[in-house]
Amino acid sequence: MFRKLILLALVASSTAAVAQPLPLPFPPLPMPQGTPEEQAACSPDVHKYCERALPDVMQVAQCLQVNRPKISPACRQVLVNHGM
């Protein structure tokens, strides 16, 4: 009886491990960096305020948000268009 209980516990734990969903993969690199027009609107601001964040797109976006009062109106509009 004890062996059956252990066997049942092992089967249940191995089945639970198999049933767990796998983690989602990271998005493919490089991540999209906007249209050519968006890049043109933000490129001067990126180079002026966020050069050290390159090439990490997420850090660049965060840097632009932090520097939002200083960046150009065109780049601010790009951020707005992307929900930032």
Side-chain angles (χ1 to χ4, degrees):
M1 177 72 170
F2 184 70
R3 285 185 179 176
K4 288 182 182 178
L5 203 54
I6 290 176
L7 183 59
L8 182 61
L10 287 173
V11 169
S13 66
S14 66
T15 303
V18 172
Q20 291 177 353
L22 298 174
L24 296 175
F26 288 105
L29 294 177
M31 291 178 60
Q33 298 179 26
T35 66
E37 294 80 14
E38 292 171 333
Q39 290 177 17
C42 289
S43 184
D45 295 311
V46 168
H47 290 289
K48 186 172 183 179
Y49 301 111
C50 306
E51 188 89 39
R52 70 179 191 280
L54 290 172
D56 188 319
V57 177
M58 298 305 291
Q59 285 186 10
V60 170
Q62 182 180 16
C63 176
L64 289 173
Q65 289 177 343
V66 167
N67 289 289
R68 185 183 291 265
K70 301 177 199 173
I71 64 176
S72 67
C75 189
R76 277 197 301 269
Q77 186 59 49
V78 170
L79 294 180
V80 169
N81 292 349
H82 287 277
M84 294 188 226

